[in-house]
Amino acid sequence: GAVVSQHPSRVICKSGTSVKIECRSLDFQATTMFWYRQFPKQSLMLMATSNEGSKATYEQGVEKDKFLINHASLTLSTLTVTSAHPEDSSFYICSARTSGNIQYFGAGTRLSVL
Amino acid sequence: DAKTTQPPSMDCAEGRAANLPCNHSTISGNEYVYWYRQIHSQGPQYIIHGLKNNETNEMASLIITEDRKSSTLILPHATLRDTAVYYCIVRVGNSGGYQKVTFGTGTKLQVIP
């Protein structure tokens, strides 16, 4: 299957700092990528849809000014958690959609905010 | 997208077939059935998908009932590495438009030695 690379896999930061997470589709172009968040023992929750060359579409309740999404190319989307706080600690996962409409997922980024 | 219902957990003996059911009684004619799994602390992994015919690949088989209101994912010879949460998702399959995968609670499959 297609490969989606997510970096970093783990990040620890101080409260108030910003963290950028990268999501790359390695062997296909993706006009649409997605960002999810997962808390312990819960299912994945869709945060936003990232569309290449246009603004992201955020799900209800997700603060667009706190979770900045940029999809500048057909193979790269980034999620920046701005002014991170301990409650933002979570497992963040990206996915990219192929032309055949299958979503492939990255390995996830575990964010810990101290 | 149609809602799906899965049992919260299942056990399967190693080497035996694991049969994971999914109900999707409100599925529409143009909606596909997708299966993903998530091994602990990893991103979800695509397994298989289908519209109305049974499908098979190197990982699993997907059996969809004739009325399409339910389906079963079959792992023919379960191994300990198949222990994961399995998600059944129904959504429109064409590539046009805004398509997103939303996850329910899935079935936690425990493969037992």
Side-chain angles (χ1 to χ4, degrees):
Chain A
V3 179
V4 174
S5 173
Q6 189 172 340
H7 178 81
S9 59
R10 188 177 188 95
V11 59
I12 301 172
C13 70
K14 293 182 178 180
S15 185
T17 60
S18 294
V19 174
K20 179 184 282 189
I21 303 170
E22 291 187 349
C23 180
R24 296 180 184 272
S25 55
L26 296 187
D27 51 0
F28 67 101
Q29 293 183 329
T31 56
T32 306
M33 294 185 175
F34 304 87
W35 288 95
Y36 295 80
R37 180 169 54 183
Q38 186 175 35
F39 292 106
K41 298 186 185 294
Q42 295 185 22
S43 188
L44 285 80
M45 294 297 295
L46 180 66
M47 298 175 66
T49 300
S50 170
N51 301 296
E52 188 267 335
S54 64
K55 291 183 179 180
T57 304
Y58 289 82
E59 296 298 304
Q60 192 173 7
V62 178
E63 299 175 60
K64 62 180 181 181
D65 294 330
K66 181 168 186 60
F67 299 99
L68 301 179
I69 292 171
N70 184 277
H71 193 160
S73 78
L74 289 172
T75 59
L76 173 64
S77 176
T78 60
L79 169 69
T80 301
V81 183
T82 62
S83 187
H85 287 91
E87 58 266 29
D88 298 322
S89 298
S90 188
F91 191 49
Y92 292 87
I93 308 168
C94 73
S95 73
R97 182 167 63 91
T98 68
S99 59
N101 211 27
I102 296 174
Q103 280 186 229
Y104 290 94
F105 289 78
T109 297
R110 189 160 301 282
L111 172 63
S112 299
V113 184
L114 305 179
Chain B
D1 293 339
K3 180 181 171 60
T4 62
T5 304
Q6 299 177 253
S9 64
M10 291 181 63
D11 290 340
C12 176
E14 187 178 17
R16 304 296 293 270
N19 297 284
L20 293 96
C22 179
N23 286 320
H24 31 79
S25 59
T26 61
I27 192 170
S28 300
N30 62 346
E31 289 183 313
Y32 286 67
V33 180
Y34 289 79
W35 282 85
Y36 287 81
R37 72 180 181 184
Q38 186 179 25
I39 296 170
H40 183 62
S41 295
Q42 298 182 23
Q45 178 186 23
Y46 165 78
I47 301 173
I48 199 168
H49 75 285
L51 182 62
K52 55 182 179 181
N53 296 321
N54 298 337
E55 301 287 344
T56 296
N57 63 19
E58 66 278 5
M59 289 183 67
S61 295
L62 173 60
I63 308 298
I64 302 174
T65 58
E66 192 168 341
D67 64 6
R68 303 210 319 123
K69 293 185 177 183
S70 65
S71 60
T72 301
L73 178 74
I74 301 172
L75 307 178
H77 304 287
T79 71
L80 297 179
R81 287 180 294 182
D82 292 321
T83 292
V85 178
Y86 287 77
Y87 296 97
C88 167
I89 296 156
V90 172
R91 67 183 175 99
V92 177
N94 61 292
S95 59
Y98 170 49
Q99 304 293 339
K100 60 183 179 181
V101 172
T102 54
F103 289 81
T105 53
T107 296
K108 183 173 175 58
L109 175 69
Q110 182 72 49
V111 180
I112 302 169

